[in-house]
């Protein structure tokens, strides 16, 4: 009897099973009766779709890869035919000597959902799904933000294998863009420009366009030049008219609204093809000469980039989007919590990726500033 009493005191009177805690309570549905495992299955399905259809902006400027780095020629054209001689042999194709070894960094990121059993017990299905949507939105900001930082920041880095991770040509690392079409470029060539004006003007656009086109990018039928800019700059560009000054600089081209622009009256006729209303899932405001204007709030105000893109996830895009070699660790993943029966409890989200510039000539960034020295943007979000 004494032994039994001592055991009851020792084990709290539960015959050796320990205390029943809140964590032992099974919660299998939300407050409005939706099964939690059904929501988990829906979340997993949404994650799969989300990873296939990456952020439109991220996909338009990057190329997915599992490589830690690549040796990539930095010019757009290479081999040439030669006239046939009667007894000679043709010149053979060979590796382009200007290939540059470019590294891509990689880091892991995660975000806890913090959905405890108490939250799940009292929450509706809509509230649970809202938490998942928050994670998707945060991941979109993370990926797009990292890619844009790489595009807009000339600072060189290294990856875990000590490969150099480059930005665009910066004019300070001793490297020069390879010659193209008979043109040579000095090692001081930079694709990070300061406008010297307080507002965007037509000269800024032409400088950036020429910086890319003169090196052979954005001139072929399988690539397209776009201007990524904040809506503030896009609105200013929409006022440019050929032969008229804009912010003190005469414009060479007219801004032409895209096919999806609001209806407007004009006495002039548009000659040529009007830009489409969207490209790669992004809105196209209109065209200016050879470029399409693509506004985005992801781009900081006071900056814009002229980018040669081959389309979503094209190998011709300027930035590499590095993922893990193991497919199980690619994309945004939702990780189940400790209780495998109800994986939404204490679940979290994980993403591993990195980036680096693949083609240093394929984009040019401009800061709209009265100064003469480019300063990378300070990002208000991450």
């Amino acid at each position: 009897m004494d032994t039994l009493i001592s055991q009851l005191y020792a084990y709290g009177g539960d015959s050796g099973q320990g205390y029943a805690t809140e964590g032992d309570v099974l919660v299998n549905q939300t407050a409005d009766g939706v099964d939690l495992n059904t929501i988990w299955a829906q979340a997993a399905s949404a994650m799969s779709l989300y990873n296939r259809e990456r952020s439109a902006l991220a996909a338009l400027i990057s190329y997915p890869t599992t490589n830690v780095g690549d040796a990539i020629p930095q010019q757009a054209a290479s081999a040439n035919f030669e006239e046939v001689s009667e007894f000679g042999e043709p010149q053979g194709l060979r590796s382009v000597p200007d290939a540059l070894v470019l590294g891509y960094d990689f880091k892991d990121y995660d975000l806890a959902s913090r959905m405890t059993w108490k939250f799940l017990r009292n929450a509706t299905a809509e509230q649970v799904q809202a938490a998942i949507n928050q994670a998707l939105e945060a991941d979109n900001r993370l990926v797009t933000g990292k890619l844009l930082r790489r595009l807009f920041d000339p600072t060189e880095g290294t990856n875990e294998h000590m490969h150099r991770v480059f930005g665009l040509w910066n004019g300070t690392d001793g490297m020069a863009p390879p010659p193209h079409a008979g043109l040579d470029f000095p090692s001081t060539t930079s694709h990070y420009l300061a406008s010297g004006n307080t507002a965007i003007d037509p000269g800024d656009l032409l400088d950036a366009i020429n910086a890319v086109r003169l090196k052979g990018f954005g001139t072929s039928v399988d690539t397209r030049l776009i201007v990524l800019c904040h809506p503030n700059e896009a609105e200013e560009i929409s006022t440019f008219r050929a032969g008229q000054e804009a912010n003190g600089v005469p414009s060479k081209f007219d801004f032409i609204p895209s096919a999806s622009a609001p209806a407007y009256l004009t006495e002039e006729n548009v000659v040529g093809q009007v830009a489409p209303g969207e490209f790669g899932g992004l809105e196209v405001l209109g065209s200016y000469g050879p470029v399409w204007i693509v506004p985005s709030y992801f781009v900081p105000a006071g900056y814009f980039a002229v980018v040669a893109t081959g389309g979503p996830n094209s190998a011709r895009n300027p930035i590499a989007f590095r993922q893990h070699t193991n497919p199980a660790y690619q994309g945004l993943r939702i990780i189940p919590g400790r209780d495998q029966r109800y994986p939404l409890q204490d679940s979290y989200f994980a993403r591993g990726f990195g980036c680096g510039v693949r083609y240093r000539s394929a984009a040019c960034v401009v800061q709209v500033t009265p100064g003469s020295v480019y300063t990378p943007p300070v990002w208000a979000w991450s």
Side-chain angles (χ1 to χ4, degrees), residues 5-365:
I5 292 174
S6 63
Q7 288 177 342
L8 288 173
Y9 277 108
Y11 297 108
D14 62 359
S15 302
Q17 297 303 309
Y19 286 100
T21 65
E22 290 182 334
D24 295 326
V25 178
L26 301 181
V27 178
N28 58 9
Q29 63 182 26
T30 59
D32 53 354
V34 179
D35 186 270
L36 292 179
N37 286 332
T38 299
I39 297 178
W40 174 265
Q42 291 172 345
S45 177
M47 215 68 62
S48 176
L49 178 64
Y50 172 77
N51 287 323
R52 286 200 304 270
E53 300 178 2
R54 287 195 305 128
S55 161
L57 179 54
L60 204 56
I61 64 175
S62 67
Y63 170 69
T65 181
T66 58
N67 297 338
V68 299
D70 288 306
I72 299 178
Q74 294 302 295
Q75 62 183 23
S78 53
N80 296 298
F81 279 83
E82 60 182 352
E83 186 177 345
V84 175
S85 63
E86 185 175 357
F87 301 105
E89 292 187 5
Q91 176 179 301
L93 292 169
R94 60 187 182 275
S95 298
V96 181
D98 71 313
L100 178 64
V101 177
L102 305 114
Y104 316 133
D105 58 20
F106 187 93
K107 290 184 179 180
D108 288 293
Y109 305 87
D110 58 15
L111 175 67
S113 69
R114 300 297 186 217
M115 289 187 285
T116 65
W117 72 267
K118 278 191 173 182
F119 169 80
L120 293 170
R121 178 187 65 182
N122 296 315
T124 63
E126 184 178 4
Q127 289 173 315
V128 175
Q129 290 162 352
I132 296 171
N133 288 338
Q134 276 188 307
L136 295 176
E137 192 271 338
D139 180 72
N140 183 22
R141 283 189 289 109
L142 171 68
V143 173
T144 304
K146 294 294 181 183
L147 291 173
L148 286 178
R149 277 187 176 88
R150 180 64 281 173
L151 182 65
F152 281 79
D153 194 338
T155 306
E156 182 181 318
T158 57
N159 64 13
E160 72 273 25
H161 299 284
M162 299 309 296
H163 296 143
R164 298 172 72 179
V165 180
F166 293 101
L168 307 174
W169 302 113
N170 56 38
T172 61
D173 57 13
M175 293 185 176
H180 176 71
L183 296 176
D184 292 312
F185 306 98
S187 61
T188 55
T189 300
S190 177
H191 278 218
Y192 295 96
L193 309 179
S195 70
N197 202 343
T198 55
I200 187 172
D201 62 55
D204 301 330
L205 268 180
L206 285 181
D207 288 344
I209 291 169
N210 290 334
V212 176
R213 287 172 62 92
L214 287 176
K215 299 174 185 68
F217 289 85
T219 58
S220 60
V221 294
D222 55 352
T223 58
R224 162 58 56 184
L225 280 180
I226 62 173
V227 175
L228 293 178
C229 59
H230 190 275
N232 291 354
E233 276 63 50
E235 183 177 353
E236 194 70 32
I237 293 171
S238 70
T239 66
F240 294 174
R241 297 294 180 268
Q244 299 180 16
E245 284 194 0
N247 299 317
V249 178
S251 178
K252 184 177 180 180
F253 302 105
D254 284 309
F255 170 83
I256 306 296
S258 71
S260 66
Y264 61 98
L265 295 173
T266 178
E267 296 179 356
E268 301 173 346
N269 295 320
V270 175
V271 179
Q273 186 177 2
V274 175
E278 67 91 25
F279 177 59
L282 295 174
E283 173 197 3
V284 176
L285 184 66
S287 62
Y288 182 80
V291 297
W292 290 347
I293 312 302
V294 179
S296 173
Y297 284 103
F298 278 115
V299 180
Y303 292 83
F304 71 89
V306 173
V307 180
T309 174
N313 302 315
S314 169
R316 292 184 174 272
N317 291 347
I319 301 178
F321 175 73
R322 178 185 167 191
Q323 299 190 88
H324 200 278
T325 53
N326 186 341
Y329 291 92
Q330 294 176 4
L332 177 64
R333 297 173 294 133
I334 182 169
I335 311 298
R338 291 169 293 179
D339 191 338
Q340 298 298 306
R341 296 168 299 176
Y342 304 103
L344 272 176
Q345 290 186 33
D346 300 314
S347 60
Y348 62 98
F349 303 87
R351 161 78 80 171
F353 77 103
C355 61
V357 167
R358 304 177 76 241
Y359 293 106
R360 302 186 74 185
S361 299
C364 182
V365 176

Side-chain angles (χ1 to χ4, degrees), residues 361-376:
S361 299
C364 182
V365 176
V366 179
Q367 179 188 11
V368 181
T369 173
S372 59
V373 178
Y374 178 88
T375 303

